[in-house]
């Protein structure tokens, strides 16, 4: 059974940085697509960043230039470096792996104060 465990969330001031990690219980080398999503209170879950096995990345305009997704296949870990954080980035952040079905982590809270 595939398990994803996020960590690294917390409280940060606007303009600050956080690095999220997602530890995966299986080898990620063959997982074609992995990503980070977020969900703010009262809003739908939205894509934050996505990465393929070829390290092709994609970001929505809201985070482009501020967030960077990466993967370490040797450590079976997915990362999200978040810089220049804004209060509107406040949300629960979820790790996702697409392996025939969507697998989700339990989420980690990120709170950005103004």
């Amino acid at each position: 059974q595939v398990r994803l465990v996020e960590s690294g969330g917390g409280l940060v001031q606007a303009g600050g940085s956080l690095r999220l990690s997602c530890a995966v219980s299986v080898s990620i080398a063959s997982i074609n697509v992995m990503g980070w999503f977020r969900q703010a209170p009262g809003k739908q879950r939205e894509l934050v960043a996505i990465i393929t096995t070829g390290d092709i990345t994609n970001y929505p305009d809201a985070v482009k230039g501020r967030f960077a997704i990466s993967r370490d296949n040797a450590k079976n870990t997915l990362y999200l470096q978040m810089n220049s954080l804004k209060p509107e980035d406040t949300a629960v952040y979820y790790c996702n792996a697409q392996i025939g079905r969507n697998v989700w982590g339990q989420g980690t809270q990120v709170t950005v104060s103004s």
Side-chain angles (χ1 to χ4, degrees):
Q1 185 176 356
V2 180
R3 292 185 62 225
L4 280 61
V5 180
E6 301 95 335
S7 61
L11 173 64
V12 64
Q13 288 188 333
S17 298
L18 282 175
R19 188 193 195 201
L20 305 184
S21 299
C22 173
V24 185
S25 61
V26 299
S27 172
I28 67 170
S30 60
I31 299 178
N32 289 334
V33 180
M34 298 191 70
W36 289 95
F37 289 72
R38 68 186 181 187
Q39 188 166 18
K43 295 187 177 181
Q44 289 188 331
R45 192 171 295 190
E46 62 178 3
L47 174 69
V48 173
I50 201 164
I51 187 168
T52 70
T53 48
D55 286 339
I56 297 172
T57 59
N58 197 19
Y59 308 89
D61 288 343
V63 306
K64 195 174 292 183
R66 300 189 297 121
F67 289 12
I69 188 172
S70 61
R71 57 195 292 169
D72 186 331
N73 291 344
K75 295 183 178 180
N76 294 325
T77 302
L78 184 71
Y79 300 101
L80 183 69
Q81 178 67 43
M82 305 186 295
N83 300 324
S84 302
L85 282 162
K86 304 175 181 180
E88 51 263 44
D89 294 319
T90 294
V92 177
Y93 283 69
Y94 296 92
C95 178
N96 171 268
Q98 297 180 22
I99 45 174
R101 59 185 175 89
N102 270 324
V103 180
W104 297 95
Q106 84 288 350
T108 186
Q109 176 72 46
V110 172
T111 302
V112 184
S113 63
S114 57

